[in-house]
Amino acid sequence: MPGTQETTAGAGSAGMVEVRVRDAGQARRAVADAILMVREAADRYSTGIMITELGEGWYVVRAHPAVPHGLVRERK
C-alpha cells in the first residue's frame, strides 16, 4: 500500500526504533517521530542519537554513546 509507514521498537527497547516507509516523502516525519521515542533513553544514559540509513526507506534510530548528549547524527 503506497504511503504506508511502519515504526517498530527494536527488541522491546525504547533506546532503538526501526523505521520503514514505502513512500520516501514520509521518511522525514517518520524519523522525527522515532527520535522523539528514543529521546528519553538518550537523556537517561546521557548519550546522543544516531540515525542510520540501512536502505531506501529503512532507518534505525537509537541512543548511541559515540554521539554527544543532546546531538543527533546521521550515518549512511
Side-chain angles (χ1 to χ4, degrees):
M1 194 189 286
T4 299
Q5 167 186 324
E6 175 184 332
T7 305
T8 57
S13 170
M16 184 183 92
V17 176
E18 182 176 357
V19 176
R20 290 184 184 227
V21 293
R22 292 185 182 158
D23 180 0
Q26 292 183 332
R28 180 180 291 254
R29 176 63 183 180
V31 169
D33 289 345
I35 289 170
L36 291 176
M37 294 170 71
V38 171
R39 180 166 282 147
E40 182 179 334
D43 287 344
R44 184 178 332 124
Y45 296 107
S46 295
T47 69
I49 297 174
M50 176 74 73
I51 304 165
T52 304
E53 183 177 359
L54 300 175
E56 188 173 332
W58 184 19
Y59 305 87
V60 172
V61 179
R62 62 186 171 148
H64 198 287
V67 180
H69 184 244
L71 297 180
V72 176
R73 295 223 169 114
E74 189 173 342
R75 178 172 62 186
K76 294 186 179 204

